[in-house]
Amino acid sequence: MLWTKHHFDALDSTQDEARAYPPYSVVVAERQTRGRGRMGRTWESPAGNLYLTAVVPDFGDRTPQLAFVAAVALAEALADFPVRLKWPNDVLLDGRKIAGILLERAEGKVLVGVGVNVVSAPDLAIYATGHLQGRIFCDILLDRFLKELREAMGAFQEKGFEPIRRKWLAGAFHLGQDIIVKMPQGTAAGVFAGIDADGALMLKQADTIKRITVGDVALMKDMK
Ligand code: BTN
């Protein structure tokens, strides 16, 4: 196994603890008291779900694409369930979020934070969907994810982003649909036309394509 695991009962956030560890370390907590999500949000972290941070090397200007590498790996790890991917790096089950990924940089390394709602969640937990049926639990899911992450990172290193981009698109939710993207600087509407070679969202508006790097996606029909 490539990874060295460090387990804790409770941490403020696995992201903060992971700063002290070298690449290929994994910090796992049973629960977090200050779990955080993207865009400054709180990540509810009661016991029973999976909370981990995998420390990986910095990939320079390709580092943001690691979020898609991790999302593809997480979808593979959850392949027993009919999961889909939501831009930029959420995992959905039955159209609702069951897992999120947070990428942070720390002195020459990258902290890939993953939270999976196995038994409880503000939105949806795998357990609540009836898909769980005792087939999967946190330790198995952790090992599956680490194996898939290692493979996806190997493909990314050898072949670049394109194979990851294709896999991500194959599992993408919202593709070809009317969406609204809430960005820090405002809202944009259009058709979700895919992701580009950097992982940016491509939003088709009339005959132009708008490129979006930060934001939250919602289906237009759900906004009405
Ligand atoms: C998101 O969808 O907003 C990303 C959520 C990431 C949550 C995980 S849980 C493990 C790691 N530690 C944290 O504090 N956050 C990430």
Side-chain angles (χ1 to χ4, degrees), residues 12-16 27 32 34-39 41-45 50-53 89-90 97 99-104 112-116:
D12 287 354
S13 162
T14 56
Q15 296 290 98
D16 296 336
V27 173
Q32 300 181 115
R34 285 186 179 192
R36 58 179 180 267
R38 287 174 55 240
M39 301 172 85
R41 295 187 192 113
T42 297
W43 186 259
E44 299 293 333
S45 307
L50 179 61
Y51 312 107
L52 73 102
T53 298
N89 35 57
D90 290 348
K97 178 164 174 169
I101 294 168
L102 175 68
L103 218 66
E104 292 177 335
V112 181
V114 177
V116 184

Side-chain angles (χ1 to χ4, degrees), residues 58-132:
D58 194 295
F59 280 70
D61 58 7
R62 297 164 63 206
T63 291
Q65 297 170 356
L66 278 174
F68 295 89
V69 175
V72 163
L74 189 54
E76 298 278 355
L78 288 163
D80 286 348
F81 310 106
V83 292
R84 306 291 295 276
L85 296 168
K86 180 180 171 196
W87 189 87
N89 35 57
D90 290 348
V91 179
L92 308 185
L93 184 59
D94 296 345
R96 290 163 68 195
K97 178 164 174 169
I98 49 134
I101 294 168
L102 175 68
L103 218 66
E104 292 177 335
R105 273 183 140 136
E107 304 102 41
K109 57 200 182 191
V110 178
L111 311 174
V112 181
V114 177
V116 184
N117 301 331
V118 176
V119 298
S120 65
D123 188 0
L124 185 69
I126 303 177
Y127 184 75
T129 65
H131 289 293
L132 186 66

Side-chain angles (χ1 to χ4, degrees), residues 4-215:
T4 306
K5 292 187 255 176
H6 304 271
H7 274 270
F8 295 85
D9 284 343
L11 287 173
D12 287 354
S13 162
T14 56
Q15 296 290 98
D16 296 336
E17 178 67 23
R19 281 173 194 273
Y21 296 85
Y24 303 110
S25 306
V26 182
V27 173
V28 187
E30 295 295 314
R31 61 188 176 90
Q32 300 181 115
T33 50
R34 285 186 179 192
R36 58 179 180 267
R38 287 174 55 240
M39 301 172 85
R41 295 187 192 113
T42 297
W43 186 259
E44 299 293 333
S45 307
N49 294 332
L50 179 61
Y51 312 107
L52 73 102
T53 298
V55 185
V56 303
D58 194 295
F59 280 70
D61 58 7
R62 297 164 63 206
T63 291
Q65 297 170 356
L66 278 174
F68 295 89
V69 175
V72 163
L74 189 54
E76 298 278 355
L78 288 163
D80 286 348
F81 310 106
V83 292
R84 306 291 295 276
L85 296 168
K86 180 180 171 196
W87 189 87
N89 35 57
D90 290 348
V91 179
L92 308 185
L93 184 59
D94 296 345
R96 290 163 68 195
K97 178 164 174 169
I98 49 134
I101 294 168
L102 175 68
L103 218 66
E104 292 177 335
R105 273 183 140 136
E107 304 102 41
K109 57 200 182 191
V110 178
L111 311 174
V112 181
V114 177
V116 184
N117 301 331
V118 176
V119 298
S120 65
D123 188 0
L124 185 69
I126 303 177
Y127 184 75
T129 65
H131 289 293
L132 186 66
Q133 294 165 346
R135 272 183 300 163
I136 199 159
F137 49 94
C138 291
D139 289 349
I140 294 175
L141 181 56
L142 171 65
D143 285 344
R144 281 192 194 168
F145 171 67
L146 294 177
K147 175 183 162 287
E148 297 294 345
L149 184 61
R150 178 190 182 152
E151 284 177 16
M153 280 180 53
F156 181 53
Q157 252 160 336
E158 271 175 41
K159 300 177 190 151
F161 186 53
E162 189 50 24
I164 300 294
R165 192 181 81 92
R166 265 192 260 119
K167 274 195 175 174
W168 191 92
L169 284 172
F173 197 59
H174 296 158
L175 205 56
Q177 300 196 56
D178 288 320
I179 58 167
I180 295 210
V181 189
K182 277 194 202 150
M183 301 167 288
Q185 69 274 25
T187 298
V191 173
F192 181 28
I195 56 172
D196 71 7
D198 296 318
L201 182 149
M202 295 190 295
L203 189 70
K204 190 168 183 322
Q205 297 177 309
D207 46 11
T208 59
I209 297 274
K210 186 177 171 70
R211 195 175 167 274
I212 297 174
T213 54
V214 182

